[in-house]
Amino acid sequence: MTAETLLTEMPSLSKLYVNAAATAAKSRLVRAEPVLALPARAIEVRGVSADLAKVTEFAHLMGEPARDVLPSGYLHAFVFPVAMSVMVQEDFPLPLLGMIHLRNDVEHLAPVLFSDELSVRAWARDLTGHRSGTQVQIVAEIHNADGTELLWRGVSTYLAKGVFLPGLDKPTTAAARVDFIPPAPTAQWRLGVDTGRAYAAVSGDFNPIHLSVLSAKALGLRRSIAHGMYAAARVLATVPQSKPDTFYWDIAFDSPMFLPATVSLEVVDHRTDDGAWLSSVFTAWDARTARKYFNGSVSAGRSVID
């Protein structure tokens, strides 16, 4: 990053979505030359802390008790307004609305407490072609208040489907298709049509693709879909129940969870000979059609993210 924008307070997600909608409407009326590079600056906000009421609501939605240590899924929601601020900049080349979540890689380097005063920093990188459009990575970091200690780092990969920017190479061959054979499930979720709205209420992520059939159809989807980070946060609430101070997790999304849905889930734990937890691998799929939704892992220790 060659420059930095320092904000005085945490951005409002509702205002950011309004700005994104206004930008989308303007782009339909005015054909501007496409921007072919990412903003060369990070966005940072300092001296912020978690909202205890929201932390409690978030934990209860995921079926876990509220604790002093902030849940891993909540930390993604906590940094999301700053990450989203990166994606609504005028010189950001991709439309925010309708963006599809492909993958997350997250590293916890130390416990983050609800009482901690924190700094959050985010920026964009790796604008690349994709067979279905253009993808980009958004990096977000949580530091202690003075910025001297990195506590948490996440890399989110997004796809702007149908947006093909000139000059970006697309994969010349499609990835080999691997048939998915569902294993025996270890759990099952029943997600109602209001799942997206419930998660939006505790996370602040009111992306229209998650809220209703009408708002999702306006962005090209046949029905509303569950947030990818709802799924990740719900898995992480119990995998494992008690986490070490330092751990890493990743999740890759194969297909959207159209609501309502019945989700089958398999979790496989790996432990030492004396029973100490080392890692867990999880996979989820549609209980009716066997279509794979997502897979990922949680591991003790540190896994350096590029």
Side-chain angles (χ1 to χ4, degrees):
M1 294 293 98
T2 59
E4 186 169 283
T5 299
L6 184 62
L7 305 180
T8 57
E9 61 183 0
M10 191 66 84
S12 164
L13 276 176
S14 59
K15 290 181 180 179
L16 291 173
Y17 275 120
V18 169
N19 291 342
T23 299
K26 181 180 177 181
S27 67
R28 285 194 291 268
L29 296 174
V30 180
R31 288 284 184 177
E33 288 294 318
V35 179
L36 303 181
L38 292 170
R41 60 187 173 277
I43 293 180
E44 183 173 0
V45 58
R46 299 173 184 169
V48 292
S49 56
D51 181 328
L52 182 56
K54 286 297 183 186
V55 174
T56 303
E57 292 172 8
F58 190 100
H60 288 171
L61 181 64
M62 300 306 158
E64 61 179 330
R67 300 183 176 94
D68 290 346
V69 177
L70 295 177
S72 186
Y74 176 83
L75 289 175
H76 175 87
F78 180 70
V79 304
F80 188 62
V82 182
M84 190 170 164
S85 294
V86 173
M87 295 188 280
V88 298
Q89 296 177 92
E90 287 188 358
D91 55 350
F92 188 76
L94 303 174
L96 172 67
L97 295 184
M99 197 86 78
I100 295 172
H101 208 158
L102 296 181
R103 182 178 176 87
N104 274 84
D105 294 89
V106 175
E107 189 170 24
H108 291 253
L109 302 176
V112 182
L113 306 181
F114 78 89
S115 56
D116 287 343
E117 191 170 284
L118 305 164
S119 293
V120 179
R121 188 170 184 263
W123 66 94
R125 71 178 192 186
D126 291 351
L127 186 70
T128 57
H130 185 281
R131 66 182 182 276
S132 299
T134 302
Q135 70 178 46
V136 67
Q137 290 185 338
I138 305 297
V139 184
E141 293 180 342
I142 298 175
H143 294 254
N144 61 349
D146 61 11
T148 58
E149 183 184 3
L150 177 62
L151 306 175
W152 181 97
R153 187 169 190 249
V155 179
S156 300
T157 304
Y158 296 100
L159 168 67
K161 192 172 183 179
V163 179
F164 296 94
L165 297 181
L168 294 182
D169 293 332
K170 296 195 292 279
T172 55
T173 58
R177 181 180 177 84
V178 178
D179 290 334
F180 174 65
I181 302 175
T186 57
Q188 194 170 79
W189 304 341
R190 296 190 183 277
L191 307 185
V193 293
D194 62 341
T195 298
R197 295 190 292 274
Y199 181 78
V202 301
S203 68
D205 184 0
F206 286 91
N207 188 325
I209 64 175
H210 303 299
L211 303 183
S212 71
V213 172
L214 290 177
S215 60
K217 281 186 174 180
L219 292 170
L221 298 176
R222 65 178 185 269
R223 297 202 308 274
S224 60
I225 62 174
H227 295 73
M229 287 310 300
Y230 166 82
R234 187 162 174 179
V235 172
L236 290 164
T238 57
V239 181
Q241 189 74 50
S242 179
K243 295 178 178 59
D245 287 348
T246 301
F247 66 98
Y248 163 86
W249 63 267
D250 62 78
I251 187 169
F253 302 101
D254 290 84
S255 59
M257 292 181 288
F258 287 100
L259 299 171
T262 301
V263 180
S264 291
L265 182 75
E266 182 207 43
V267 178
V268 178
D269 292 332
H270 301 283
R271 299 180 179 273
T272 62
D273 291 340
D274 59 2
W277 177 81
L278 292 172
S279 64
S280 297
V281 177
F282 55 86
T283 306
W285 62 96
D286 186 316
R288 182 176 61 84
T289 67
R291 183 180 180 87
K292 186 179 175 185
Y293 285 138
F294 59 84
N295 66 277
S297 65
V298 189
S299 303
R302 181 171 183 174
S303 177
V304 176
I305 304 172
D306 292 336

